Amino acid sequence: MKTLHLNSQDNNAIKTAAEILKNGGLVAIPTETVYGLAANALDGEAVKKIFIAKGRPNDNPLIVHVSSLEEIEPLVEKVDPRLYELAEKYWPGPLTVILKKSALIPNEVSPNLDTVALRMPSHECARKIIRAAGVPLAAPSANSSGRPSPTKASHVVEDLDGKIDAIVDGGESDVGVESTVVTLATDPPTLLRPGGITPEQLTEVLGEIQISSAVYEKLKEGEKVQSPGMKYKHYAPSAQVTIIKGSFEQYKRFLLAQKDKVCAVCFEGEGVHFENYIEYGKENDDASQAHKIFDALREVDATNCKRAFVRCPVSSGVGLAVYNRLLRSAAFRVIDLDIKIPVIGLTGQTGAGKTTVAAMLKDKNYAIIDTDLLAREAVKSPEVIGMLCEKFGNDIIKDGILDRRELARRAFATKEGSLALNEITHPEITRLAVEEIHKAHENGAKAAVIDAALLFDSCLTAFCDKTVSVIAPEDERLERIIKRDGLSAADAKLRINAQPPAEYYIEKADIIINNGANDDLSSQLSQI
Ligand code: TXA
Ligand code: MG
């Protein structure tokens, strides 16, 4: 299908768009929140086409857009007086209200529900098109399902060109995130999706409201590991997104410690510190962040980075909507770098006695975080499993459980395979390590110790206040490994040779602990 590109400034654009809609076609229209993909809301067949063009799950209901209050009455079972109160204050504008629907609403609009979502957009062009079409318009955001919502006509072109009848370019969407959705069908009313109208503004009119848990938490059904390819992602670029809480200094240190090419999604003026960056709005200005966030998420992929780290937005006002969208694009992955206890990175040569040192620190009320255990934990995450399956084949899952031996067999067969395994698991290990540090603080530990064989090859050093290397003479280490692991002298030697030399550990660490037969460990620990 050839998609007609119209400009809202052109004389005939509104008329042409309205004609297409009246004839059961699809037109992407600008609104003040995001671009919408519109069809005649009273024509079930036309509405069906929306789901096909977007690749949208059939059971996700659509919002019906009107241009005046008079259009509401026929669409609902009974007009709730609170709707008029809300409308008086916030319509036209970024607010959607859900009420019991009338028989006029075809099932396709809100499949298997007895309600309908209603909104009167404030964008002049959107209102003119609704008026000219003479019917209410069902319109979800005009993106391919799962992608960031479109705030420019060019975003719609990226996703839907060739799949819909026309796109009307009406400039950049002002608000930048989708409307606030509130339902009056519950008591008290429930905020289902935060947006341009804040919870405080709703309370002003409605009194008490409840906030749906889905605003902050992922859906329960997604927590099962049954289907590896399953995604909680929404609004997501191809790159993996992680939200980073904490100061800019903490963010910067963490990003600069990453070993692979990553994209910084940060606030205005911060980008210069990074090789790849996209800025979205000003640090303390929620409206500017909302305006730019979807565009920024779309730009991430142009940097060719596999991972993006987003500075956490303010979470009040419209910022709540920005945070909510980011949580979804990040599949709920958040790292809080605002760490409240000292963190020590502990590493060392094999057989040098890193574990002994860890045990002694544990006796002093230091929490020990064993990254080997975290690595086992990391491969339980559904998202990690999904990525592992994509890379190494779906049959690494046997009876719904990850077969770790099979995974190891495939991954370690080639150098490329082991690198890929690390690339997939390390970010999750890092996230878990930070979580453990926060837990250690809550549990009253004096400090947290990250025990990691590959400490200096990881980004974990970014939150270590001090790093410690444990070393010992080679002959003693050899003897210990033979005894501890029941290896032959030759195999033990191989293992030792696979690691970097002592100089590597000495050069990189702040503190060196010598653990030869004649060294006194406890006196050396006082350095820590
Ligand atoms: O700002 C906006 O709301 C944009 C512009 C185009 O108006 N539209 C938009 O539509 O964001 P969409 O389809 O991407 O999101 C509609 C949201 C979905 O989360 C949907 O589940 C919810 O509204 N929704 C629609 N009708 C509903 C109903 N009857 N009950 C519960 N939720 C409903
Ligand atoms: Mg949408």
mmCIF file of all heavy atoms in Angstrom, residues 31 33-36 54 56 60-63 65 96 98 110 113 115-117 119 139-141 177-179 181 192-193, ligand 1:
data_model
loop_
_atom_site.group_PDB
_atom_site.id
_atom_site.type_symbol
_atom_site.label_atom_id
_atom_site.label_comp_id
_atom_site.label_asym_id
_atom_site.label_seq_id
_atom_site.Cartn_x
_atom_site.Cartn_y
_atom_site.Cartn_z
ATOM 1 N N THR A 31 -1.289 14.372 17.694
ATOM 2 C CA THR A 31 -2.006 14.874 18.867
ATOM 3 C C THR A 31 -0.961 15.506 19.781
ATOM 4 O O THR A 31 0.236 15.353 19.543
ATOM 5 C CB THR A 31 -2.802 13.795 19.653
ATOM 6 O OG1 THR A 31 -1.950 13.212 20.639
ATOM 7 C CG2 THR A 31 -3.399 12.722 18.763
ATOM 8 N N THR A 33 -0.149 14.607 22.676
ATOM 9 C CA THR A 33 0.594 13.620 23.477
ATOM 10 C C THR A 33 1.594 12.881 22.587
ATOM 11 O O THR A 33 2.803 13.074 22.697
ATOM 12 C CB THR A 33 -0.371 12.615 24.133
ATOM 13 O OG1 THR A 33 -1.167 12.011 23.114
ATOM 14 C CG2 THR A 33 -1.243 13.290 25.165
ATOM 15 N N VAL A 34 1.056 12.032 21.703
ATOM 16 C CA VAL A 34 1.860 11.314 20.718
ATOM 17 C C VAL A 34 0.991 11.206 19.460
ATOM 18 O O VAL A 34 -0.190 11.517 19.496
ATOM 19 C CB VAL A 34 2.232 9.883 21.212
ATOM 20 C CG1 VAL A 34 2.998 9.937 22.517
ATOM 21 C CG2 VAL A 34 0.990 9.000 21.370
ATOM 22 N N TYR A 35 1.571 10.771 18.358
ATOM 23 C CA TYR A 35 0.764 10.558 17.152
ATOM 24 C C TYR A 35 -0.153 9.358 17.367
ATOM 25 O O TYR A 35 0.228 8.385 18.027
ATOM 26 C CB TYR A 35 1.659 10.307 15.931
ATOM 27 C CG TYR A 35 2.112 11.594 15.261
ATOM 28 C CD1 TYR A 35 3.036 12.428 15.883
ATOM 29 C CD2 TYR A 35 1.594 11.976 14.019
ATOM 30 C CE1 TYR A 35 3.434 13.613 15.285
ATOM 31 C CE2 TYR A 35 1.992 13.162 13.409
ATOM 32 C CZ TYR A 35 2.907 13.974 14.039
ATOM 33 O OH TYR A 35 3.286 15.151 13.444
ATOM 34 N N GLY A 36 -1.373 9.463 16.828
ATOM 35 C CA GLY A 36 -2.328 8.365 16.966
ATOM 36 C C GLY A 36 -2.608 7.736 15.610
ATOM 37 O O GLY A 36 -2.502 8.396 14.570
ATOM 38 N N LYS A 54 -0.447 -2.323 13.332
ATOM 39 C CA LYS A 54 0.476 -2.143 14.463
ATOM 40 C C LYS A 54 1.086 -3.453 14.949
ATOM 41 O O LYS A 54 2.062 -3.441 15.698
ATOM 42 C CB LYS A 54 -0.282 -1.538 15.668
ATOM 43 C CG LYS A 54 -0.434 -0.052 15.646
ATOM 44 C CD LYS A 54 -1.087 0.425 16.950
ATOM 45 C CE LYS A 54 -0.309 0.094 18.190
ATOM 46 N NZ LYS A 54 0.370 1.192 18.834
ATOM 47 N N ARG A 56 -0.655 -5.265 16.963
ATOM 48 C CA ARG A 56 -1.067 -5.119 18.366
ATOM 49 C C ARG A 56 -1.852 -6.345 18.835
ATOM 50 O O ARG A 56 -2.695 -6.850 18.100
ATOM 51 C CB ARG A 56 -1.935 -3.864 18.475
ATOM 52 C CG ARG A 56 -2.455 -3.527 19.878
ATOM 53 C CD ARG A 56 -3.240 -2.221 19.764
ATOM 54 N NE ARG A 56 -3.897 -1.797 20.978
ATOM 55 C CZ ARG A 56 -3.489 -0.768 21.713
ATOM 56 N NH1 ARG A 56 -2.402 -0.115 21.388
ATOM 57 N NH2 ARG A 56 -4.170 -0.391 22.770
ATOM 58 N N ASN A 60 -6.000 -5.720 23.495
ATOM 59 C CA ASN A 60 -5.615 -4.437 24.098
ATOM 60 C C ASN A 60 -6.550 -3.334 23.589
ATOM 61 O O ASN A 60 -6.515 -2.987 22.415
ATOM 62 C CB ASN A 60 -4.158 -4.131 23.756
ATOM 63 C CG ASN A 60 -3.588 -3.041 24.651
ATOM 64 O OD1 ASN A 60 -4.296 -2.477 25.484
ATOM 65 N ND2 ASN A 60 -2.325 -2.726 24.460
ATOM 66 N N PRO A 61 -7.411 -2.795 24.470
ATOM 67 C CA PRO A 61 -8.450 -1.869 23.999
ATOM 68 C C PRO A 61 -7.912 -0.514 23.535
ATOM 69 O O PRO A 61 -6.821 -0.110 23.912
ATOM 70 C CB PRO A 61 -9.328 -1.694 25.237
ATOM 71 C CG PRO A 61 -8.440 -1.994 26.395
ATOM 72 C CD PRO A 61 -7.456 -3.010 25.914
ATOM 73 N N LEU A 62 -8.722 0.162 22.734
ATOM 74 C CA LEU A 62 -8.316 1.436 22.136
ATOM 75 C C LEU A 62 -9.036 2.617 22.777
ATOM 76 O O LEU A 62 -10.117 2.472 23.343
ATOM 77 C CB LEU A 62 -8.657 1.435 20.650
ATOM 78 C CG LEU A 62 -8.107 0.280 19.814
ATOM 79 C CD1 LEU A 62 -8.598 0.415 18.376
ATOM 80 C CD2 LEU A 62 -6.587 0.277 19.865
ATOM 81 N N ILE A 63 -8.448 3.791 22.639
ATOM 82 C CA ILE A 63 -9.071 5.021 23.128
ATOM 83 C C ILE A 63 -9.895 5.644 22.002
ATOM 84 O O ILE A 63 -9.453 5.688 20.849
ATOM 85 C CB ILE A 63 -7.982 6.019 23.589
ATOM 86 C CG1 ILE A 63 -7.206 5.432 24.775
ATOM 87 C CG2 ILE A 63 -8.597 7.372 23.939
ATOM 88 C CD1 ILE A 63 -5.982 6.242 25.175
ATOM 89 N N HIS A 65 -11.496 8.986 20.447
ATOM 90 C CA HIS A 65 -11.229 10.429 20.498
ATOM 91 C C HIS A 65 -12.411 11.228 19.964
ATOM 92 O O HIS A 65 -12.958 10.888 18.915
ATOM 93 C CB HIS A 65 -9.983 10.755 19.661
ATOM 94 C CG HIS A 65 -8.732 10.103 20.189
ATOM 95 N ND1 HIS A 65 -8.523 8.745 20.122
ATOM 96 C CD2 HIS A 65 -7.632 10.624 20.791
ATOM 97 C CE1 HIS A 65 -7.342 8.458 20.667
ATOM 98 N NE2 HIS A 65 -6.780 9.575 21.080
ATOM 99 N N THR A 96 -7.459 10.663 29.488
ATOM 100 C CA THR A 96 -8.406 9.679 28.978
ATOM 101 C C THR A 96 -9.231 9.161 30.146
ATOM 102 O O THR A 96 -8.686 8.824 31.193
ATOM 103 C CB THR A 96 -7.648 8.509 28.309
ATOM 104 O OG1 THR A 96 -6.972 9.019 27.172
ATOM 105 C CG2 THR A 96 -8.593 7.398 27.887
ATOM 106 N N ILE A 98 -12.268 6.463 31.435
ATOM 107 C CA ILE A 98 -12.967 5.215 31.097
ATOM 108 C C ILE A 98 -14.316 5.143 31.805
ATOM 109 O O ILE A 98 -14.420 5.382 33.006
ATOM 110 C CB ILE A 98 -12.102 3.993 31.464
ATOM 111 C CG1 ILE A 98 -10.851 3.975 30.580
ATOM 112 C CG2 ILE A 98 -12.883 2.693 31.312
ATOM 113 C CD1 ILE A 98 -9.847 2.918 30.953
ATOM 114 N N SER A 110 -13.023 -2.226 22.374
ATOM 115 C CA SER A 110 -12.596 -2.672 23.707
ATOM 116 C C SER A 110 -13.088 -4.104 23.890
ATOM 117 O O SER A 110 -14.082 -4.357 24.553
ATOM 118 C CB SER A 110 -13.134 -1.749 24.803
ATOM 119 O OG SER A 110 -14.520 -1.555 24.673
ATOM 120 N N LEU A 113 -14.830 -6.098 26.981
ATOM 121 C CA LEU A 113 -14.963 -5.229 28.157
ATOM 122 C C LEU A 113 -16.302 -4.516 28.067
ATOM 123 O O LEU A 113 -16.847 -4.328 26.979
ATOM 124 C CB LEU A 113 -13.846 -4.182 28.194
ATOM 125 C CG LEU A 113 -12.408 -4.687 28.318
ATOM 126 C CD1 LEU A 113 -11.431 -3.545 28.140
ATOM 127 C CD2 LEU A 113 -12.223 -5.347 29.690
ATOM 128 N N THR A 115 -16.532 -1.440 29.044
ATOM 129 C CA THR A 115 -16.152 -0.035 29.185
ATOM 130 C C THR A 115 -15.553 0.516 27.893
ATOM 131 O O THR A 115 -15.169 -0.237 27.002
ATOM 132 C CB THR A 115 -15.094 0.126 30.286
ATOM 133 O OG1 THR A 115 -14.025 -0.781 30.012
ATOM 134 C CG2 THR A 115 -15.665 -0.161 31.653
ATOM 135 N N VAL A 116 -15.449 1.835 27.854
ATOM 136 C CA VAL A 116 -14.770 2.481 26.728
ATOM 137 C C VAL A 116 -13.922 3.650 27.263
ATOM 138 O O VAL A 116 -14.313 4.314 28.218
ATOM 139 C CB VAL A 116 -15.784 2.968 25.662
ATOM 140 C CG1 VAL A 116 -16.744 4.012 26.240
ATOM 141 C CG2 VAL A 116 -15.055 3.529 24.440
ATOM 142 N N ALA A 117 -12.766 3.842 26.632
ATOM 143 C CA ALA A 117 -11.862 4.935 27.024
ATOM 144 C C ALA A 117 -12.099 6.128 26.108
ATOM 145 O O ALA A 117 -12.165 5.978 24.887
ATOM 146 C CB ALA A 117 -10.416 4.467 26.917
ATOM 147 N N ARG A 119 -11.291 10.353 25.065
ATOM 148 C CA ARG A 119 -10.357 11.465 25.210
ATOM 149 C C ARG A 119 -10.666 12.541 24.185
ATOM 150 O O ARG A 119 -11.034 12.240 23.043
ATOM 151 C CB ARG A 119 -8.930 10.944 25.029
ATOM 152 C CG ARG A 119 -7.876 12.014 24.841
ATOM 153 C CD ARG A 119 -6.485 11.442 25.069
ATOM 154 N NE ARG A 119 -5.569 11.646 23.955
ATOM 155 C CZ ARG A 119 -4.939 12.779 23.713
ATOM 156 N NH1 ARG A 119 -5.143 13.838 24.484
ATOM 157 N NH2 ARG A 119 -4.125 12.889 22.676
ATOM 158 N N ALA A 139 -8.061 5.510 18.309
ATOM 159 C CA ALA A 139 -6.655 5.707 17.942
ATOM 160 C C ALA A 139 -5.706 5.305 19.055
ATOM 161 O O ALA A 139 -5.670 5.934 20.106
ATOM 162 C CB ALA A 139 -6.408 7.173 17.563
ATOM 163 N N PRO A 140 -4.936 4.261 18.825
ATOM 164 C CA PRO A 140 -3.813 3.972 19.718
ATOM 165 C C PRO A 140 -2.625 4.801 19.237
ATOM 166 O O PRO A 140 -2.714 5.485 18.212
ATOM 167 C CB PRO A 140 -3.551 2.488 19.469
ATOM 168 C CG PRO A 140 -3.884 2.306 18.026
ATOM 169 C CD PRO A 140 -5.019 3.285 17.726
ATOM 170 N N SER A 141 -1.521 4.746 19.952
ATOM 171 C CA SER A 141 -0.321 5.410 19.484
ATOM 172 C C SER A 141 0.099 4.790 18.150
ATOM 173 O O SER A 141 -0.064 3.592 17.936
ATOM 174 C CB SER A 141 0.786 5.262 20.523
ATOM 175 O OG SER A 141 0.903 3.907 20.925
ATOM 176 N N VAL A 177 4.501 12.206 26.005
ATOM 177 C CA VAL A 177 4.103 10.879 26.498
ATOM 178 C C VAL A 177 2.579 10.783 26.387
ATOM 179 O O VAL A 177 1.888 11.802 26.352
ATOM 180 C CB VAL A 177 4.535 10.611 27.962
ATOM 181 C CG1 VAL A 177 6.041 10.462 28.056
ATOM 182 C CG2 VAL A 177 4.041 11.705 28.888
ATOM 183 N N GLU A 178 2.062 9.550 26.356
ATOM 184 C CA GLU A 178 0.638 9.365 26.143
ATOM 185 C C GLU A 178 -0.182 9.898 27.312
ATOM 186 O O GLU A 178 0.329 10.108 28.411
ATOM 187 C CB GLU A 178 0.290 7.877 25.952
ATOM 188 C CG GLU A 178 1.053 7.175 24.862
ATOM 189 C CD GLU A 178 2.347 6.592 25.370
ATOM 190 O OE1 GLU A 178 2.884 7.092 26.384
ATOM 191 O OE2 GLU A 178 2.830 5.640 24.741
ATOM 192 N N SER A 179 -1.481 10.035 27.023
ATOM 193 C CA SER A 179 -2.393 10.630 28.006
ATOM 194 C C SER A 179 -2.454 9.822 29.310
ATOM 195 O O SER A 179 -2.191 8.630 29.336
ATOM 196 C CB SER A 179 -3.804 10.688 27.403
ATOM 197 O OG SER A 179 -4.253 9.384 27.101
ATOM 198 N N VAL A 181 -4.486 7.830 31.898
ATOM 199 C CA VAL A 181 -5.719 7.043 31.786
ATOM 200 C C VAL A 181 -6.284 6.811 33.184
ATOM 201 O O VAL A 181 -5.600 6.261 34.054
ATOM 202 C CB VAL A 181 -5.477 5.682 31.083
ATOM 203 C CG1 VAL A 181 -6.775 4.881 31.014
ATOM 204 C CG2 VAL A 181 -4.902 5.883 29.691
ATOM 205 N N LEU A 192 -4.768 4.269 35.757
ATOM 206 C CA LEU A 192 -4.220 3.084 35.092
ATOM 207 C C LEU A 192 -2.898 3.378 34.405
ATOM 208 O O LEU A 192 -2.058 2.504 34.247
ATOM 209 C CB LEU A 192 -5.210 2.552 34.050
ATOM 210 C CG LEU A 192 -6.548 2.069 34.575
ATOM 211 C CD1 LEU A 192 -7.443 1.629 33.419
ATOM 212 C CD2 LEU A 192 -6.353 0.914 35.548
ATOM 213 N N ARG A 193 -2.751 4.627 33.968
ATOM 214 C CA ARG A 193 -1.508 4.984 33.280
ATOM 215 C C ARG A 193 -1.211 6.452 33.565
ATOM 216 O O ARG A 193 -2.055 7.305 33.316
ATOM 217 C CB ARG A 193 -1.669 4.766 31.772
ATOM 218 C CG ARG A 193 -0.429 5.156 30.975
ATOM 219 C CD ARG A 193 -0.567 4.832 29.488
ATOM 220 N NE ARG A 193 -1.412 5.784 28.797
ATOM 221 C CZ ARG A 193 -1.720 5.714 27.492
ATOM 222 N NH1 ARG A 193 -1.245 4.733 26.755
ATOM 223 N NH2 ARG A 193 -2.491 6.627 26.940
HETATM 224 O O1 TXA B 1 -2.203 9.968 24.420
HETATM 225 C C1 TXA B 1 -2.806 8.946 24.109
HETATM 226 O O2 TXA B 1 -3.597 8.381 24.879
HETATM 227 C C2 TXA B 1 -2.554 8.367 22.707
HETATM 228 C C3 TXA B 1 -3.074 9.367 21.699
HETATM 229 C C4 TXA B 1 -3.016 8.855 20.295
HETATM 230 O O3 TXA B 1 -4.353 9.747 22.056
HETATM 231 N N1 TXA B 1 -3.162 7.090 22.566
HETATM 232 C C5 TXA B 1 -2.688 5.995 23.190
HETATM 233 O O4 TXA B 1 -3.336 4.822 22.917
HETATM 234 O O5 TXA B 1 -1.729 6.019 23.925
HETATM 235 P P1 TXA B 1 -2.770 3.398 23.252
HETATM 236 O O6 TXA B 1 -3.679 2.456 22.587
HETATM 237 O O7 TXA B 1 -1.347 3.310 22.887
HETATM 238 O O8 TXA B 1 -2.964 3.233 24.780
HETATM 239 C C6 TXA B 1 -4.279 3.096 25.301
HETATM 240 C C7 TXA B 1 -4.216 2.607 26.718
HETATM 241 C C8 TXA B 1 -3.792 1.180 26.785
HETATM 242 O O9 TXA B 1 -2.952 0.998 27.900
HETATM 243 C C9 TXA B 1 -5.118 0.453 26.965
HETATM 244 O O10 TXA B 1 -4.945 -0.781 27.612
HETATM 245 C C10 TXA B 1 -5.891 1.431 27.815
HETATM 246 O O11 TXA B 1 -5.496 2.699 27.314
HETATM 247 N N2 TXA B 1 -7.345 1.281 27.616
HETATM 248 C C11 TXA B 1 -8.091 1.624 26.541
HETATM 249 N N3 TXA B 1 -9.388 1.309 26.730
HETATM 250 C C12 TXA B 1 -9.484 0.745 27.946
HETATM 251 C C13 TXA B 1 -10.556 0.193 28.709
HETATM 252 N N4 TXA B 1 -11.797 0.171 28.250
HETATM 253 N N5 TXA B 1 -10.266 -0.304 29.925
HETATM 254 C C14 TXA B 1 -8.999 -0.284 30.406
HETATM 255 N N6 TXA B 1 -7.960 0.222 29.727
HETATM 256 C C15 TXA B 1 -8.193 0.730 28.513
#
